[in-house]
Amino acid sequence: MTANENWRTVKGFTRYEVSDRGNVRNKHTKVAKAIRGTPTGYRITDLKENGEKHTKYIHRLVAEAFLDNPLDLPHVNHKDEDKANDVFQETFVKAIM
């Protein structure tokens, strides 16, 4: 985590924040959440809400927090095609036909 990160509350998870650099932390303690990779190259983390664990893709958390999506497009892609690069400027939403 860096000093230049911008943080926003994770949609649907009031206890957590996601940064524009792709980091996730507890909103109150500021402790970073563990992030792991998937076999397909994406980064994920586990968030708890109401006693239930939810595994979430980091790039989707970043997009939901920082990208405007007025058309409610369903897919988040990486501009540089690097699935592990969750920086806000490298993500975008699109419709897949």
Side-chain angles (χ1 to χ4, degrees):
M1 290 189 275
T2 67
N4 296 333
E5 288 179 270
N6 295 305
W7 294 89
R8 295 194 181 160
T9 301
V10 172
K11 183 179 176 181
F13 296 88
T14 57
R15 294 174 36 197
Y16 302 101
E17 296 176 312
V18 62
S19 81
D20 58 351
R21 308 293 301 165
N23 293 307
V24 181
R25 69 182 181 187
N26 181 295
K27 190 179 203 177
H28 305 290
T29 66
K30 309 299 185 206
V31 173
K33 291 291 295 167
I35 294 175
R36 63 192 185 279
T38 68
T40 56
Y42 292 100
R43 295 181 341 130
I44 57 175
T45 192
D46 295 322
L47 304 178
K48 287 187 180 178
E49 190 73 19
N50 299 321
E52 293 183 32
K53 181 179 90 168
H54 303 268
T55 301
K56 295 292 185 179
Y57 288 98
I58 304 300
H59 70 285
R60 179 156 293 282
L61 297 179
V62 171
E64 289 173 347
F66 292 95
L67 291 178
D68 291 327
N69 188 8
L71 300 177
D72 198 29
L73 299 175
H75 298 280
V76 178
N77 282 15
H78 301 262
K79 290 178 186 176
D80 63 2
E81 298 182 10
D82 178 358
K83 296 175 183 177
N85 186 357
D86 299 316
V87 174
F88 160 64
Q89 291 85 354
E90 294 299 330
T91 59
F92 67 97
V93 291
K94 71 182 239 179
I96 305 240
M97 303 295 172

